[in-house]
Structure formats: structure tokens, C-alpha cells
Amino acid sequence: MSKPEKLLDKKGLRLDGRKLDELRPIKMEVGVLNNADGSAYLEQGKNKVLAAVYGPKEVHPKHLALADRAILRCRYHMAPFSVEERKSPAPSRREIELSKVIREALEPAVFLEYYPRTAIDIFIEILQADGGTRCAGITTAALALADAGVPMRDLVVACAAGKVDGKLALDLMDLEDKYGEADVPLAMMPGINAVTLLQMDGSLTLEEFQKAVKMAMEGCKQIYEMQKKALKAKYVAIKEEIQE
Ligand code: ADP
């Protein structure tokens, strides 16, 4: 899409009508795939993300196994139809980097030491992308891990804040990410107040950076409540099925 004249209107509202501190509409569901050990689906604005988890399971190739803990592997992949112009299905440098960054954001949450010599595999498929997909991927993958019954210190949740037309804004969409001044993706475990990912693209003053971090953390906390609800919803549905 071409560069919009302005990212904020006269009232200070964004291109999709959001206030500066407002998240995009979010929907999430747990246990959406039959053949994975755990799975989740998330929509955040126009982003559509699917995550599947396998394991803990035997490691192949065997030499990758660790004697004292499980290995966590992660693949972030964008579907060819996820962006305006068809994306090559082959893994790009960006996807390889994001796979690593996402794995590192999730790893501190998982009790890997409980499952020596095994592997836990996470697959993240971006079905539709509209900015902030690394964050949406982390939020979805954490739900899929929990759905697989992988023991974790806390859920991991991610959200970005940034700067558009000179103002700090929460949860940037693609146009704001592309044409805004800065983007600060952050992942955390809100229950234990630990940050597991912090990146920055663009430029901010120190004060703006601190405010953006705070804003992203507030966004994370809101999404965390939705994650917990989505997990509970699955078990309420199962209970109702049993009672019927
Ligand atoms: P994130 O999705 O975490 O914000 P980036 O900042 O790298 O990651 O990407 C921002 C957005 O740019 C993506 O969410 C997507 O909408 C768009 N994008 C990324 N890669 C491509 C691509 N190959 N073709 C078109 N758009 C892309």
C-alpha cells in the first residue's frame, strides 16, 4: 500500500479509528488442530496466526539431544498468500531471524529441564500479515505450548508500541510500522513481571523509549487476560461436552 498522507487524523485517531493507546481487536482460540499436541489460532486486527506444538518428543537427529534438558525449536513462517505480493515459500533471512528471536522469547518460560533428551517443536504460520506478526506469533505459540500441556513458569505474551506522526502508539499495524518513526516489540511473562524480548526499530528519545516500553507492557497485560480466558474456554467446552 502507498504511503498515507497522515497516520493520525485531526482528532488524533489512527487510520483504523483506534486511539493511541488502543489495541487492535483480538480473537483467540485454543486447540484448533487435531494432529498437533497443542495448537492455537489468533487474530489481531488483520493478522491471522496459527501455531502448532509437538512434544516433548524424541529428538531427530539424535546428536542434537541434550543430556540435561529438552531443546526448543521454532519455525516462524509466512504463507505465500499472507502479504499483498506473493511471498516465496522458501524461508527468508527475516523468517530465520524471527524464528530465533521468537524461540528466545519463549525459552525462559518453559521448564526444559523436566524433559532431558527430548525436543519441543513450535510451528508458527502467518496466514495473513499486517504488522506485529512476531508479537502475535509469540502470543499464539505460548497458548499452543500451554495447550500441549508443556509446563511453563507463566504464559508469554507480546505486543509492540511505537511512534507515529510524533506520538507514541500501541500495537502498530503494517502502515504505521512502515511509515511511523519507531517500533518497539516487547514480550513478557506478566505473572512474574519478566521481559523476554525487547527490540527497537527507528529512533526515539530515552524518555519516549521508556514510555513506549511501559505502553507495550500495558498492552501485554491486556492480551494476557485474553490468553487466560481462551485457555479456560477450551476446558469449559470440554466439561460441557462431558456433561451432555
Ligand atoms: P513484524 O510483523 O513483527 O512487525 P516486520 O517489522 O519485519 O515484523 O514486518 C512488518 C510487516 O511487514 C509484517 O507484519 C508484514 O505485514 C509486512 N511484511 C513482512 N515481510 C513481508 C514481505 N515479504 N512482503 C510483504 N510484506 C511483508
Side-chain angles (χ1 to χ4, degrees), residues 8-210:
L8 296 177
D9 70 9
K10 280 184 203 137
K11 289 185 193 154
L13 295 179
R14 296 152 74 175
L15 293 173
D16 57 1
R18 275 186 295 156
K19 292 188 214 123
L20 288 166
D21 62 352
E22 201 176 331
L23 290 169
R24 287 175 278 188
I26 297 178
K27 274 200 273 185
M28 39 180 110
E29 196 182 337
V30 165
V32 292
L33 300 172
N34 284 342
N35 300 324
D37 294 320
S39 60
Y41 173 71
L42 173 135
E43 289 182 10
Q44 184 162 0
K46 290 185 191 147
N47 285 329
K48 295 186 179 182
V49 183
L50 195 56
V53 165
Y54 292 85
K57 61 187 180 83
E58 216 175 288
V59 186
H60 294 288
K62 276 207 162 100
H63 72 266
L64 294 177
L66 297 177
D68 59 344
R69 63 194 157 97
I71 56 166
L72 189 68
R73 296 185 289 203
C74 177
R75 188 189 78 173
Y76 163 100
H77 180 248
M78 272 181 138
F81 48 79
S82 65
V83 286
E84 245 176 28
E85 219 161 280
R86 180 184 177 277
K87 187 206 145 282
S88 156
S92 61
R93 284 177 66 110
R94 174 179 170 273
E95 286 167 300
I96 295 166
E97 183 198 326
L98 288 195
S99 298
K100 175 179 181 284
V101 161
I102 293 172
R103 173 174 55 75
E104 288 173 352
L106 295 165
E107 219 161 25
V110 181
F111 287 104
L112 293 171
E113 60 276 23
Y114 287 5
Y115 302 101
R117 300 191 178 283
T118 68
I120 300 170
D121 286 328
I122 304 169
F123 296 93
I124 298 169
E125 287 294 320
I126 307 297
L127 305 176
Q128 191 167 283
D130 189 42
T133 58
R134 81 194 61 202
C135 290
I138 291 169
T139 303
T140 318
L143 278 177
L145 280 166
D147 185 45
V150 173
M152 287 190 282
R153 289 172 179 85
D154 192 11
L155 285 165
V156 183
V157 52
C159 184
K163 189 175 167 188
V164 292
D165 287 358
K167 296 257 196 278
L168 294 177
L170 182 65
D171 189 18
L172 304 191
M173 57 176 176
D174 191 32
L175 282 173
E176 295 175 324
D177 189 355
K178 271 203 188 97
Y179 302 113
E181 293 98 285
D183 183 33
V184 181
L186 179 146
M188 68 184 299
M189 293 183 268
I192 48 180
N193 219 23
V195 170
T196 62
L197 167 96
L198 181 59
Q199 295 184 298
M200 185 172 114
D201 200 5
S203 64
L204 292 173
T205 65
L206 178 61
E207 193 190 340
E208 282 170 340
F209 174 73
Q210 286 166 338

